[in-house]
Amino acid sequence: MTDATRFGVIGTGRITRRLVADLQSTDGVSVTAIASRTQDRADWFASQYGIAAAVQGYQQLLQRDDVDGVYLSLPPSMHSEWCLRAAEAGKMILCEKPLATSLQEAIQINAACDQAGVRWLDATGWLHHRRTAEMLALARSGQLGKIGHISVAVSFYRPFQSGEHRLDPALGGGCLLDLGWYTTGASCLFADQLPSKVFADSIEENGVPIRTNAMLWFDGDLTAGFSCGYDTATRKWFEVAGSEASVICDDFTRPWADRPTRFWVHDAKGEVQAFQVSDRQEQRMIETLVGQSSLEPFNSLALRTQFVLQALAESVQTGLPVHLDHSTLV
Ligand SMILES: NC(=O)c1ccc[n+]([C@@H]2O[C@H](COP(=O)([O-])OP(=O)(O)OC[C@H]3O[C@@H](n4cnc5c(N)ncnc54)[C@H](OP(=O)(O)O)[C@@H]3O)[C@@H](O)[C@H]2O)c1
């Protein structure tokens, strides 16, 4: 395939294994190189995944002519630096979530990509699943009545390994940035607006939140509440509650592996309608990145998510509700 978009991979973590396979199984995409801090690890990964070039050092990968785009799967505190360097090198970017650790970093990434004419996406696969578009269309169609409340829960029970970045404040650890990326993003997406006020509280371990509960207030008496953390069994669900019915999804971040991809509408009489929508969300995300369509809706949601996460972190720190000044995002 001569005109395939050639990806270089930066980092060799747990999620890298899955995304490399997703990149390799997407039409019009190939993986030509992988970079690690150490040559041994790059060699091991390259041989395991059939990648031609194993590179020591991330900058070395950015300098390669056989790389058109990069997939960054580094700890959150490193996303900004390597997105900026990738933009400077003119490489398309697929960056793992959270996009960054602050709004300022996220805005800089967006501006640098804009200036360099580089397309970028945060690797938030669920946004690209056809099911998400269907649930969103339903919520916006008026069929649920007036949307009053959104509740979201995302957790994994202690998904830790040694040297875990999730437990290291210096690496951007903690459940708020990590899992709150999903809960905040889902709240903003279904609310279709930014909150005017937020409040959050966390339980901490090692100086990072391991459980965060939050409330978000939107115009029109719409509220959202979420819980995310590392101290309960896997949950990845939400409910969008309207005056007539609710949309419920129990695996929105990534469909359960062993059953059809579904969601439900529960109405006021207890009637339940089940919907099934199959798709391959990561492949669709990659196709969108390498395609021609505008990425503005995804880029904008990423920036809004980072904006709200920052306000939530401030609320955790101060113990007070935070009123959001939307003009800081423009
Ligand atoms: N989209 C999803 O579904 C999903 C799922 C899980 C995680 N993630 C996100 O993906 C990113 C990586 O998560 P992960 O769980 O895959 O991480 P991980 O297993 O810890 O891997 C991170 C990689 O970053 C590199 N690295 C460079 N400096 C490092 C440092 N100081 N400490 C640790 N690693 C360092 C390492 O690669 P080398 O040593 O080879 O250089 C390491 O293998 C995070 O932003 C996370 O939130 C996304």
Side-chain angles (χ1 to χ4, degrees):
M1 218 185 303
T2 50
D3 54 358
T5 304
R6 301 160 302 173
F7 272 83
V9 175
I10 294 187
T12 59
R14 285 163 288 185
I15 188 66
T16 316
R17 299 153 202 259
R18 192 153 56 198
L19 252 293
V20 164
D22 292 328
L23 285 161
Q24 288 172 327
S25 61
T26 300
D27 287 344
V29 170
S30 64
V31 179
T32 46
I34 185 158
S36 169
R37 288 171 296 177
T38 61
Q39 187 66 53
D40 280 357
R41 205 162 157 76
D43 286 341
W44 183 85
F45 240 86
S47 69
Q48 286 289 307
Y49 290 91
I51 301 170
V55 181
Q56 180 174 8
Y58 305 154
Q59 188 62 37
Q60 279 65 27
L61 183 132
L62 291 179
Q63 286 159 356
R64 293 181 69 93
D65 291 336
D66 62 354
V67 167
D68 308 310
V70 290
Y71 166 57
L72 291 170
S73 64
L74 302 170
S77 66
M78 301 175 74
H79 291 180
S80 162
E81 176 187 352
W82 289 99
C83 280
L84 294 181
R85 288 184 185 228
E88 199 182 330
K91 309 294 186 193
M92 181 185 288
I93 299 168
L94 180 61
C95 178
E96 265 306 338
K97 40 62 55 178
L99 176 61
T101 56
S102 70
L103 177 63
Q104 194 193 1
E105 285 179 356
I107 288 174
Q108 280 170 351
I109 292 169
N110 188 46
C113 290
D114 224 23
Q115 202 177 2
V118 159
R119 286 167 72 82
W120 69 272
L121 274 181
D122 53 303
T124 310
W126 79 275
L127 296 174
H128 301 267
H129 200 294
R130 285 195 307 125
R131 173 177 66 171
T132 303
E134 292 201 12
M135 293 188 294
L136 205 52
L138 197 78
R140 291 181 183 167
S141 69
Q143 287 179 65
L144 305 177
K146 182 180 185 308
I147 308 294
H149 187 71
I150 299 159
S151 52
V152 195
V154 175
S155 60
F156 295 98
Y157 188 72
R158 305 192 75 79
F160 306 141
Q161 59 185 11
S162 71
E164 175 63 59
H165 64 80
R166 287 172 183 76
L167 288 174
D168 188 343
L171 293 176
C175 67
L176 180 56
L177 274 175
D178 179 11
L179 307 180
W181 184 262
Y182 296 112
T183 54
T184 304
S187 300
C188 292
L189 182 68
F190 282 97
D192 201 16
Q193 56 174 308
L194 282 166
S196 51
K197 183 174 79 168
V198 299
F199 177 75
D201 188 44
S202 290
I203 293 169
E204 293 200 351
E205 195 175 303
N206 280 20
V208 300
I210 61 150
R211 188 198 308 160
T212 300
N213 297 321
M215 277 287 293
L216 294 78
W217 288 264
F218 299 89
D219 285 351
D221 292 331
L222 172 61
T223 52
F226 74 69
S227 180
C228 63
Y230 302 137
D231 62 348
T232 48
T234 298
R235 296 174 299 157
K236 38 185 180 179
W237 42 71
F238 67 68
E239 170 200 39
V240 178
S243 52
E244 308 290 328
S246 298
V247 171
I248 292 173
C249 179
D250 74 344
D251 58 358
F252 79 95
T253 59
R254 174 171 289 112
W256 302 109
D258 54 350
R259 66 201 74 164
T261 306
R262 66 239 160 126
F263 67 96
W264 300 270
V265 174
H266 283 242
D267 76 9
K269 299 192 195 91
E271 297 294 330
V272 181
Q273 246 185 306
F275 298 81
Q276 280 188 19
V277 189
S278 59
D279 202 4
R280 299 171 76 197
Q281 63 185 32
E282 274 75 27
Q283 280 88 349
R284 194 168 282 274
M285 168 178 75
I286 296 159
E287 282 165 8
T288 299
L289 175 62
V290 303
Q292 302 291 323
S293 63
S294 168
L295 299 176
E296 198 280 331
F298 300 104
N299 294 167
S300 159
L301 181 62
L303 293 175
R304 284 182 280 144
T305 301
Q306 199 86 56
F307 174 60
V308 178
L309 281 172
Q310 183 149 306
L312 289 164
E314 184 186 334
S315 176
V316 170
Q317 210 172 16
T318 60
L320 296 169
V322 171
H323 294 265
L324 285 87
D325 174 5
H326 296 176
S327 68
T328 58
L329 197 52
V330 184

